[in-house]
Amino acid sequence: MNTPLISVIIPIYNGVGLLEDAVQSILEQSFSDFELLLINDGSTDRSLEILHSFVDSRIRIIDQKNIGLAATLNKGIEQAKTNVIARLDQDDIAEPQRLERQFKALQDHDLDAVFTQITKFGSKNTWSNIERQKEQFGSVIILKPMDYGCFVQSTLLARREVLLQLPYREAYYPCDDWDLQLRLEEGFRAGLLKEKLVRYRFHGAANTYPTFFLMQEKRRWCEYNSFRRQANESELSFEEYQALQKSRYKKWNRKRKDLYFFHVRMGGDHYLQARYAKAVRHFLTGAILAPEKWIQRITGRAQ
C-alpha cells in the first residue's frame, strides 16, 4: 500500500455534536490521498463511539488518557506516516478544496507551512471576516513575525520535519498556536493562501471564553519572547515576564484593550447565534472601552 501524501490530525476531547462535521469535511475532500488521525484525548462523552462509527480505510483512531492539547498534537505529528501535516480542530469544518489548494500552494511556492483565511459561522449566521481578510484566489503572501497576526490553527498545513523541530509547547497554552506560528515565521518560509478554506465555528462550549484573559497575557509573552529570539537573547519564563510588568498605567491600558477584544468577540458570537440585542450591547461596550480600536476595525485593515 502506497504512503499517502498528507496526514490530517484532528484532536478530540468531548466533541459530541461537533466532531461529526469536522471528520466528514475531511472525508469529502477533493484531494483524497491522505490519512486521517483521530486522536481521542480521554473524552468522557460518546466521542470515541462516534469516531468508530466512521468507516473509511484512511482513518486511524488513537485512544489515550487525557494528556492535553499540545501533547496530543505532538503525538499525532510523531505518529503521522507522511511528510506533510494538516491540522483541523474538532469544531471547525474544512471546505472541500482545502487540502488540494493548500498542498498546491505549499509545493508551488516552496513553503514550509501555509495557513488560509477563514469564514466564521455560528448556529444562525456566518461572517466573511472581510474587514480583516480580503480573499484573492491563488494569492500567497510570505508571513513575517507579527506583521499579520495569529491565524486559526485549523488552517495550518506544514511539512512534518519542520513541526518535529518546533513542537507545540505546553507552557504557552492557550497561546501555544501563536507561539508555534511566530517560531515558524522566524526560522522558516511560512505563507498565507488568501482563500477562505476553513469554516471557524463560534459556540458556547469553545475553550476561548474561560481562558480569554490568560490568553491575552500569554499572547503578549509570546510576542515578547519572539523579539528576544530575534535579538539573539534567551527567552523569559512567564513568571519572569510578568515580573517586568510594573507600570500601573500600562497594566490598566492592557486591561482596557483586553476587555475591548472580549466584548467584540462576545458580540460576534451573539451575532452568529442571531442574538442581536446582546450583540449590540457587547459591540457598544467595546466601542466605549477602546474607540480607537473600533475605528481601526470598521475602517478596515485587510490582509
Side-chain angles (χ1 to χ4, degrees), residues 136-168:
Q136 188 176 352
F137 187 83
S139 175
V140 172
I141 56 175
I142 303 303
L143 302 179
K144 298 178 182 179
M146 283 174 283
D147 276 7
Y148 296 96
C150 184
F151 292 102
V152 172
Q153 281 285 297
S154 276
T155 73
L156 175 64
L157 183 139
R159 300 188 188 277
R160 179 173 177 266
E161 63 189 79
V162 173
L163 294 180
L164 288 173
Q165 294 178 56
L166 301 175
Y168 287 93

PDB file of all heavy atoms in Angstrom, residues 136-168:
ATOM      1  N   GLN A 136      -8.307  36.533  -2.245  1.00  0.00           N
ATOM      2  CA  GLN A 136      -7.697  36.716  -3.558  1.00  0.00           C
ATOM      3  C   GLN A 136      -7.233  35.354  -4.039  1.00  0.00           C
ATOM      4  O   GLN A 136      -6.169  34.874  -3.653  1.00  0.00           O
ATOM      5  CB  GLN A 136      -6.537  37.707  -3.488  1.00  0.00           C
ATOM      6  CG  GLN A 136      -5.974  38.111  -4.839  1.00  0.00           C
ATOM      7  CD  GLN A 136      -4.896  39.172  -4.717  1.00  0.00           C
ATOM      8  OE1 GLN A 136      -4.659  39.721  -3.656  1.00  0.00           O
ATOM      9  NE2 GLN A 136      -4.233  39.467  -5.835  1.00  0.00           N
ATOM     10  N   PHE A 137      -8.042  34.706  -4.862  1.00  0.00           N
ATOM     11  CA  PHE A 137      -7.824  33.315  -5.250  1.00  0.00           C
ATOM     12  C   PHE A 137      -6.418  33.121  -5.830  1.00  0.00           C
ATOM     13  O   PHE A 137      -5.993  33.826  -6.738  1.00  0.00           O
ATOM     14  CB  PHE A 137      -8.876  32.887  -6.282  1.00  0.00           C
ATOM     15  CG  PHE A 137      -8.835  31.423  -6.615  1.00  0.00           C
ATOM     16  CD1 PHE A 137      -9.466  30.493  -5.804  1.00  0.00           C
ATOM     17  CD2 PHE A 137      -8.146  30.971  -7.721  1.00  0.00           C
ATOM     18  CE1 PHE A 137      -9.432  29.142  -6.103  1.00  0.00           C
ATOM     19  CE2 PHE A 137      -8.099  29.622  -8.036  1.00  0.00           C
ATOM     20  CZ  PHE A 137      -8.748  28.703  -7.218  1.00  0.00           C
ATOM     21  N   GLY A 138      -5.693  32.153  -5.252  1.00  0.00           N
ATOM     22  CA  GLY A 138      -4.369  31.795  -5.743  1.00  0.00           C
ATOM     23  C   GLY A 138      -3.238  32.646  -5.205  1.00  0.00           C
ATOM     24  O   GLY A 138      -2.064  32.321  -5.413  1.00  0.00           O
ATOM     25  N   SER A 139      -3.554  33.733  -4.493  1.00  0.00           N
ATOM     26  CA  SER A 139      -2.515  34.627  -3.989  1.00  0.00           C
ATOM     27  C   SER A 139      -1.917  34.094  -2.691  1.00  0.00           C
ATOM     28  O   SER A 139      -2.640  33.668  -1.794  1.00  0.00           O
ATOM     29  CB  SER A 139      -3.096  36.018  -3.757  1.00  0.00           C
ATOM     30  OG  SER A 139      -2.134  36.879  -3.160  1.00  0.00           O
ATOM     31  N   VAL A 140      -0.604  34.131  -2.595  1.00  0.00           N
ATOM     32  CA  VAL A 140       0.122  33.706  -1.395  1.00  0.00           C
ATOM     33  C   VAL A 140       1.039  34.836  -0.963  1.00  0.00           C
ATOM     34  O   VAL A 140       1.769  35.404  -1.784  1.00  0.00           O
ATOM     35  CB  VAL A 140       0.948  32.433  -1.650  1.00  0.00           C
ATOM     36  CG1 VAL A 140       1.855  32.126  -0.461  1.00  0.00           C
ATOM     37  CG2 VAL A 140       0.038  31.251  -1.930  1.00  0.00           C
ATOM     38  N   ILE A 141       0.990  35.187   0.320  1.00  0.00           N
ATOM     39  CA  ILE A 141       1.926  36.161   0.878  1.00  0.00           C
ATOM     40  C   ILE A 141       2.814  35.457   1.891  1.00  0.00           C
ATOM     41  O   ILE A 141       2.387  34.521   2.570  1.00  0.00           O
ATOM     42  CB  ILE A 141       1.201  37.356   1.529  1.00  0.00           C
ATOM     43  CG1 ILE A 141       0.226  36.891   2.613  1.00  0.00           C
ATOM     44  CG2 ILE A 141       0.485  38.197   0.487  1.00  0.00           C
ATOM     45  CD1 ILE A 141      -0.432  38.037   3.374  1.00  0.00           C
ATOM     46  N   ILE A 142       4.062  35.900   1.972  1.00  0.00           N
ATOM     47  CA  ILE A 142       5.008  35.330   2.925  1.00  0.00           C
ATOM     48  C   ILE A 142       4.864  36.066   4.250  1.00  0.00           C
ATOM     49  O   ILE A 142       4.860  37.297   4.297  1.00  0.00           O
ATOM     50  CB  ILE A 142       6.450  35.436   2.400  1.00  0.00           C
ATOM     51  CG1 ILE A 142       6.572  34.739   1.039  1.00  0.00           C
ATOM     52  CG2 ILE A 142       7.425  34.833   3.406  1.00  0.00           C
ATOM     53  CD1 ILE A 142       6.163  33.270   1.046  1.00  0.00           C
ATOM     54  N   LEU A 143       4.734  35.322   5.320  1.00  0.00           N
ATOM     55  CA  LEU A 143       4.486  35.889   6.646  1.00  0.00           C
ATOM     56  C   LEU A 143       5.797  36.274   7.333  1.00  0.00           C
ATOM     57  O   LEU A 143       6.806  35.581   7.210  1.00  0.00           O
ATOM     58  CB  LEU A 143       3.722  34.890   7.507  1.00  0.00           C
ATOM     59  CG  LEU A 143       2.371  34.427   6.960  1.00  0.00           C
ATOM     60  CD1 LEU A 143       1.744  33.412   7.904  1.00  0.00           C
ATOM     61  CD2 LEU A 143       1.437  35.612   6.756  1.00  0.00           C
ATOM     62  N   LYS A 144       5.724  37.389   8.050  1.00  0.00           N
ATOM     63  CA  LYS A 144       6.833  37.844   8.867  1.00  0.00           C
ATOM     64  C   LYS A 144       6.332  37.980  10.302  1.00  0.00           C
ATOM     65  O   LYS A 144       5.157  38.263  10.520  1.00  0.00           O
ATOM     66  CB  LYS A 144       7.356  39.190   8.356  1.00  0.00           C
ATOM     67  CG  LYS A 144       7.906  39.134   6.934  1.00  0.00           C
ATOM     68  CD  LYS A 144       8.353  40.505   6.464  1.00  0.00           C
ATOM     69  CE  LYS A 144       8.864  40.452   5.027  1.00  0.00           C
ATOM     70  NZ  LYS A 144       9.292  41.795   4.548  1.00  0.00           N
ATOM     71  N   PRO A 145       7.224  37.790  11.288  1.00  0.00           N
ATOM     72  CA  PRO A 145       6.764  37.794  12.684  1.00  0.00           C
ATOM     73  C   PRO A 145       5.946  39.020  13.052  1.00  0.00           C
ATOM     74  O   PRO A 145       6.396  40.147  12.936  1.00  0.00           O
ATOM     75  CB  PRO A 145       8.083  37.735  13.477  1.00  0.00           C
ATOM     76  CG  PRO A 145       9.030  37.038  12.556  1.00  0.00           C
ATOM     77  CD  PRO A 145       8.661  37.503  11.180  1.00  0.00           C
ATOM     78  N   MET A 146       4.702  38.770  13.435  1.00  0.00           N
ATOM     79  CA  MET A 146       3.769  39.758  13.972  1.00  0.00           C
ATOM     80  C   MET A 146       3.246  40.771  12.955  1.00  0.00           C
ATOM     81  O   MET A 146       2.543  41.709  13.308  1.00  0.00           O
ATOM     82  CB  MET A 146       4.370  40.475  15.191  1.00  0.00           C
ATOM     83  CG  MET A 146       4.309  39.597  16.419  1.00  0.00           C
ATOM     84  SD  MET A 146       5.149  40.293  17.848  1.00  0.00           S
ATOM     85  CE  MET A 146       6.852  39.982  17.450  1.00  0.00           C
ATOM     86  N   ASP A 147       3.543  40.592  11.676  1.00  0.00           N
ATOM     87  CA  ASP A 147       3.016  41.508  10.662  1.00  0.00           C
ATOM     88  C   ASP A 147       1.528  41.299  10.409  1.00  0.00           C
ATOM     89  O   ASP A 147       0.807  42.243  10.093  1.00  0.00           O
ATOM     90  CB  ASP A 147       3.773  41.350   9.347  1.00  0.00           C
ATOM     91  CG  ASP A 147       5.055  42.175   9.320  1.00  0.00           C
ATOM     92  OD1 ASP A 147       5.397  42.757  10.367  1.00  0.00           O
ATOM     93  OD2 ASP A 147       5.712  42.225   8.265  1.00  0.00           O
ATOM     94  N   TYR A 148       1.058  40.062  10.536  1.00  0.00           N
ATOM     95  CA  TYR A 148      -0.303  39.736  10.116  1.00  0.00           C
ATOM     96  C   TYR A 148      -1.172  39.168  11.230  1.00  0.00           C
ATOM     97  O   TYR A 148      -2.344  38.913  11.028  1.00  0.00           O
ATOM     98  CB  TYR A 148      -0.264  38.739   8.938  1.00  0.00           C
ATOM     99  CG  TYR A 148       0.388  39.317   7.705  1.00  0.00           C
ATOM    100  CD1 TYR A 148       1.726  39.088   7.431  1.00  0.00           C
ATOM    101  CD2 TYR A 148      -0.337  40.100   6.818  1.00  0.00           C
ATOM    102  CE1 TYR A 148       2.340  39.633   6.311  1.00  0.00           C
ATOM    103  CE2 TYR A 148       0.259  40.643   5.688  1.00  0.00           C
ATOM    104  CZ  TYR A 148       1.593  40.405   5.447  1.00  0.00           C
ATOM    105  OH  TYR A 148       2.198  40.951   4.335  1.00  0.00           O
ATOM    106  N   GLY A 149      -0.615  38.943  12.400  1.00  0.00           N
ATOM    107  CA  GLY A 149      -1.412  38.412  13.490  1.00  0.00           C
ATOM    108  C   GLY A 149      -1.533  36.903  13.453  1.00  0.00           C
ATOM    109  O   GLY A 149      -1.032  36.222  12.561  1.00  0.00           O
ATOM    110  N   CYS A 150      -2.252  36.382  14.448  1.00  0.00           N
ATOM    111  CA  CYS A 150      -2.371  34.941  14.620  1.00  0.00           C
ATOM    112  C   CYS A 150      -3.460  34.379  13.719  1.00  0.00           C
ATOM    113  O   CYS A 150      -4.578  34.885  13.676  1.00  0.00           O
ATOM    114  CB  CYS A 150      -2.690  34.627  16.079  1.00  0.00           C
ATOM    115  SG  CYS A 150      -2.755  32.867  16.454  1.00  0.00           S
ATOM    116  N   PHE A 151      -3.139  33.310  13.007  1.00  0.00           N
ATOM    117  CA  PHE A 151      -4.110  32.637  12.153  1.00  0.00           C
ATOM    118  C   PHE A 151      -4.668  31.398  12.854  1.00  0.00           C
ATOM    119  O   PHE A 151      -3.992  30.779  13.679  1.00  0.00           O
ATOM    120  CB  PHE A 151      -3.476  32.248  10.817  1.00  0.00           C
ATOM    121  CG  PHE A 151      -3.134  33.436   9.964  1.00  0.00           C
ATOM    122  CD1 PHE A 151      -1.830  33.892   9.874  1.00  0.00           C
ATOM    123  CD2 PHE A 151      -4.127  34.129   9.284  1.00  0.00           C
ATOM    124  CE1 PHE A 151      -1.512  35.005   9.120  1.00  0.00           C
ATOM    125  CE2 PHE A 151      -3.825  35.244   8.522  1.00  0.00           C
ATOM    126  CZ  PHE A 151      -2.510  35.685   8.440  1.00  0.00           C
ATOM    127  N   VAL A 152      -5.874  31.060  12.520  1.00  0.00           N
ATOM    128  CA  VAL A 152      -6.540  29.907  13.121  1.00  0.00           C
ATOM    129  C   VAL A 152      -5.745  28.639  12.801  1.00  0.00           C
ATOM    130  O   VAL A 152      -5.438  28.356  11.639  1.00  0.00           O
ATOM    131  CB  VAL A 152      -7.983  29.795  12.590  1.00  0.00           C
ATOM    132  CG1 VAL A 152      -8.628  28.493  13.043  1.00  0.00           C
ATOM    133  CG2 VAL A 152      -8.809  30.995  13.054  1.00  0.00           C
ATOM    134  N   GLN A 153      -5.423  27.866  13.836  1.00  0.00           N
ATOM    135  CA  GLN A 153      -4.597  26.676  13.641  1.00  0.00           C
ATOM    136  C   GLN A 153      -5.301  25.596  12.835  1.00  0.00           C
ATOM    137  O   GLN A 153      -4.649  24.726  12.265  1.00  0.00           O
ATOM    138  CB  GLN A 153      -4.160  26.133  14.997  1.00  0.00           C
ATOM    139  CG  GLN A 153      -3.013  26.900  15.613  1.00  0.00           C
ATOM    140  CD  GLN A 153      -1.680  26.618  14.962  1.00  0.00           C
ATOM    141  OE1 GLN A 153      -1.187  25.493  15.000  1.00  0.00           O
ATOM    142  NE2 GLN A 153      -1.072  27.632  14.357  1.00  0.00           N
ATOM    143  N   SER A 154      -6.617  25.647  12.762  1.00  0.00           N
ATOM    144  CA  SER A 154      -7.339  24.701  11.908  1.00  0.00           C
ATOM    145  C   SER A 154      -7.003  24.879  10.440  1.00  0.00           C
ATOM    146  O   SER A 154      -7.377  24.048   9.616  1.00  0.00           O
ATOM    147  CB  SER A 154      -8.851  24.857  12.095  1.00  0.00           C
ATOM    148  OG  SER A 154      -9.309  24.118  13.202  1.00  0.00           O
ATOM    149  N   THR A 155      -6.313  25.979  10.092  1.00  0.00           N
ATOM    150  CA  THR A 155      -5.934  26.202   8.698  1.00  0.00           C
ATOM    151  C   THR A 155      -4.500  25.781   8.404  1.00  0.00           C
ATOM    152  O   THR A 155      -4.040  25.892   7.262  1.00  0.00           O
ATOM    153  CB  THR A 155      -6.096  27.684   8.306  1.00  0.00           C
ATOM    154  OG1 THR A 155      -5.053  28.467   8.915  1.00  0.00           O
ATOM    155  CG2 THR A 155      -7.454  28.229   8.732  1.00  0.00           C
ATOM    156  N   LEU A 156      -3.777  25.314   9.395  1.00  0.00           N
ATOM    157  CA  LEU A 156      -2.347  25.021   9.216  1.00  0.00           C
ATOM    158  C   LEU A 156      -2.115  23.758   8.384  1.00  0.00           C
ATOM    159  O   LEU A 156      -2.705  22.714   8.625  1.00  0.00           O
ATOM    160  CB  LEU A 156      -1.674  24.849  10.575  1.00  0.00           C
ATOM    161  CG  LEU A 156      -0.198  24.410  10.549  1.00  0.00           C
ATOM    162  CD1 LEU A 156       0.681  25.458   9.893  1.00  0.00           C
ATOM    163  CD2 LEU A 156       0.287  24.106  11.966  1.00  0.00           C
ATOM    164  N   LEU A 157      -1.212  23.867   7.408  1.00  0.00           N
ATOM    165  CA  LEU A 157      -0.647  22.719   6.701  1.00  0.00           C
ATOM    166  C   LEU A 157       0.848  22.949   6.642  1.00  0.00           C
ATOM    167  O   LEU A 157       1.291  24.034   6.239  1.00  0.00           O
ATOM    168  CB  LEU A 157      -1.249  22.580   5.305  1.00  0.00           C
ATOM    169  CG  LEU A 157      -0.788  21.360   4.494  1.00  0.00           C
ATOM    170  CD1 LEU A 157      -1.964  20.739   3.737  1.00  0.00           C
ATOM    171  CD2 LEU A 157       0.308  21.747   3.488  1.00  0.00           C
ATOM    172  N   ALA A 158       1.653  21.975   7.076  1.00  0.00           N
ATOM    173  CA  ALA A 158       3.092  22.202   7.197  1.00  0.00           C
ATOM    174  C   ALA A 158       3.860  20.914   6.956  1.00  0.00           C
ATOM    175  O   ALA A 158       3.319  19.803   7.049  1.00  0.00           O
ATOM    176  CB  ALA A 158       3.427  22.749   8.587  1.00  0.00           C
ATOM    177  N   ARG A 159       5.115  21.077   6.670  1.00  0.00           N
ATOM    178  CA  ARG A 159       5.994  19.924   6.492  1.00  0.00           C
ATOM    179  C   ARG A 159       6.282  19.292   7.860  1.00  0.00           C
ATOM    180  O   ARG A 159       6.608  19.987   8.824  1.00  0.00           O
ATOM    181  CB  ARG A 159       7.288  20.338   5.794  1.00  0.00           C
ATOM    182  CG  ARG A 159       7.038  20.934   4.406  1.00  0.00           C
ATOM    183  CD  ARG A 159       8.309  21.174   3.628  1.00  0.00           C
ATOM    184  NE  ARG A 159       8.022  21.919   2.410  1.00  0.00           N
ATOM    185  CZ  ARG A 159       7.592  21.368   1.266  1.00  0.00           C
ATOM    186  NH1 ARG A 159       7.421  20.055   1.210  1.00  0.00           N
ATOM    187  NH2 ARG A 159       7.356  22.107   0.206  1.00  0.00           N
ATOM    188  N   ARG A 160       6.176  17.993   7.909  1.00  0.00           N
ATOM    189  CA  ARG A 160       6.318  17.283   9.187  1.00  0.00           C
ATOM    190  C   ARG A 160       7.684  17.521   9.811  1.00  0.00           C
ATOM    191  O   ARG A 160       7.799  17.700  11.031  1.00  0.00           O
ATOM    192  CB  ARG A 160       6.080  15.789   8.968  1.00  0.00           C
ATOM    193  CG  ARG A 160       6.226  14.929  10.224  1.00  0.00           C
ATOM    194  CD  ARG A 160       5.796  13.493   9.955  1.00  0.00           C
ATOM    195  NE  ARG A 160       5.994  12.639  11.109  1.00  0.00           N
ATOM    196  CZ  ARG A 160       7.090  11.890  11.316  1.00  0.00           C
ATOM    197  NH1 ARG A 160       8.085  11.902  10.418  1.00  0.00           N
ATOM    198  NH2 ARG A 160       7.191  11.140  12.404  1.00  0.00           N
ATOM    199  N   GLU A 161       8.734  17.539   9.011  1.00  0.00           N
ATOM    200  CA  GLU A 161      10.086  17.716   9.545  1.00  0.00           C
ATOM    201  C   GLU A 161      10.222  19.044  10.280  1.00  0.00           C
ATOM    202  O   GLU A 161      10.970  19.156  11.266  1.00  0.00           O
ATOM    203  CB  GLU A 161      11.112  17.626   8.420  1.00  0.00           C
ATOM    204  CG  GLU A 161      10.970  18.713   7.369  1.00  0.00           C
ATOM    205  CD  GLU A 161      11.842  18.475   6.151  1.00  0.00           C
ATOM    206  OE1 GLU A 161      11.478  17.651   5.293  1.00  0.00           O
ATOM    207  OE2 GLU A 161      12.888  19.142   6.075  1.00  0.00           O
ATOM    208  N   VAL A 162       9.487  20.056   9.823  1.00  0.00           N
ATOM    209  CA  VAL A 162       9.525  21.367  10.474  1.00  0.00           C
ATOM    210  C   VAL A 162       8.795  21.314  11.817  1.00  0.00           C
ATOM    211  O   VAL A 162       9.287  21.828  12.828  1.00  0.00           O
ATOM    212  CB  VAL A 162       8.914  22.441   9.562  1.00  0.00           C
ATOM    213  CG1 VAL A 162       8.789  23.772  10.295  1.00  0.00           C
ATOM    214  CG2 VAL A 162       9.744  22.596   8.294  1.00  0.00           C
ATOM    215  N   LEU A 163       7.622  20.679  11.838  1.00  0.00           N
ATOM    216  CA  LEU A 163       6.848  20.592  13.074  1.00  0.00           C
ATOM    217  C   LEU A 163       7.553  19.718  14.116  1.00  0.00           C
ATOM    218  O   LEU A 163       7.386  19.940  15.320  1.00  0.00           O
ATOM    219  CB  LEU A 163       5.451  20.046  12.783  1.00  0.00           C
ATOM    220  CG  LEU A 163       4.559  20.952  11.930  1.00  0.00           C
ATOM    221  CD1 LEU A 163       3.200  20.301  11.711  1.00  0.00           C
ATOM    222  CD2 LEU A 163       4.399  22.328  12.559  1.00  0.00           C
ATOM    223  N   LEU A 164       8.341  18.759  13.668  1.00  0.00           N
ATOM    224  CA  LEU A 164       9.121  17.965  14.622  1.00  0.00           C
ATOM    225  C   LEU A 164      10.201  18.816  15.277  1.00  0.00           C
ATOM    226  O   LEU A 164      10.567  18.593  16.441  1.00  0.00           O
ATOM    227  CB  LEU A 164       9.748  16.762  13.920  1.00  0.00           C
ATOM    228  CG  LEU A 164       8.782  15.638  13.524  1.00  0.00           C
ATOM    229  CD1 LEU A 164       9.495  14.593  12.675  1.00  0.00           C
ATOM    230  CD2 LEU A 164       8.175  14.971  14.765  1.00  0.00           C
ATOM    231  N   GLN A 165      10.720  19.796  14.543  1.00  0.00           N
ATOM    232  CA  GLN A 165      11.711  20.713  15.116  1.00  0.00           C
ATOM    233  C   GLN A 165      11.068  21.755  16.025  1.00  0.00           C
ATOM    234  O   GLN A 165      11.724  22.273  16.931  1.00  0.00           O
ATOM    235  CB  GLN A 165      12.447  21.448  13.988  1.00  0.00           C
ATOM    236  CG  GLN A 165      13.316  20.574  13.113  1.00  0.00           C
ATOM    237  CD  GLN A 165      13.970  21.385  12.004  1.00  0.00           C
ATOM    238  OE1 GLN A 165      14.664  22.370  12.255  1.00  0.00           O
ATOM    239  NE2 GLN A 165      13.742  20.980  10.770  1.00  0.00           N
ATOM    240  N   LEU A 166       9.795  22.060  15.761  1.00  0.00           N
ATOM    241  CA  LEU A 166       9.092  23.118  16.500  1.00  0.00           C
ATOM    242  C   LEU A 166       7.822  22.548  17.142  1.00  0.00           C
ATOM    243  O   LEU A 166       6.709  22.885  16.740  1.00  0.00           O
ATOM    244  CB  LEU A 166       8.709  24.254  15.551  1.00  0.00           C
ATOM    245  CG  LEU A 166       9.825  24.954  14.793  1.00  0.00           C
ATOM    246  CD1 LEU A 166       9.236  25.966  13.817  1.00  0.00           C
ATOM    247  CD2 LEU A 166      10.789  25.642  15.752  1.00  0.00           C
ATOM    248  N   PRO A 167       7.965  21.699  18.139  1.00  0.00           N
ATOM    249  CA  PRO A 167       6.751  21.121  18.741  1.00  0.00           C
ATOM    250  C   PRO A 167       5.920  22.180  19.456  1.00  0.00           C
ATOM    251  O   PRO A 167       6.427  23.241  19.847  1.00  0.00           O
ATOM    252  CB  PRO A 167       7.318  20.105  19.747  1.00  0.00           C
ATOM    253  CG  PRO A 167       8.684  20.613  20.075  1.00  0.00           C
ATOM    254  CD  PRO A 167       9.193  21.239  18.809  1.00  0.00           C
ATOM    255  N   TYR A 168       4.641  21.875  19.607  1.00  0.00           N
ATOM    256  CA  TYR A 168       3.782  22.729  20.434  1.00  0.00           C
ATOM    257  C   TYR A 168       4.316  22.714  21.863  1.00  0.00           C
ATOM    258  O   TYR A 168       4.682  21.664  22.383  1.00  0.00           O
ATOM    259  CB  TYR A 168       2.342  22.211  20.412  1.00  0.00           C
ATOM    260  CG  TYR A 168       1.634  22.462  19.108  1.00  0.00           C
ATOM    261  CD1 TYR A 168       1.627  21.503  18.102  1.00  0.00           C
ATOM    262  CD2 TYR A 168       0.953  23.648  18.879  1.00  0.00           C
ATOM    263  CE1 TYR A 168       0.970  21.726  16.898  1.00  0.00           C
ATOM    264  CE2 TYR A 168       0.292  23.887  17.688  1.00  0.00           C
ATOM    265  CZ  TYR A 168       0.298  22.918  16.693  1.00  0.00           C
ATOM    266  OH  TYR A 168      -0.348  23.145  15.507  1.00  0.00           O
TER     267      TYR A 168
END
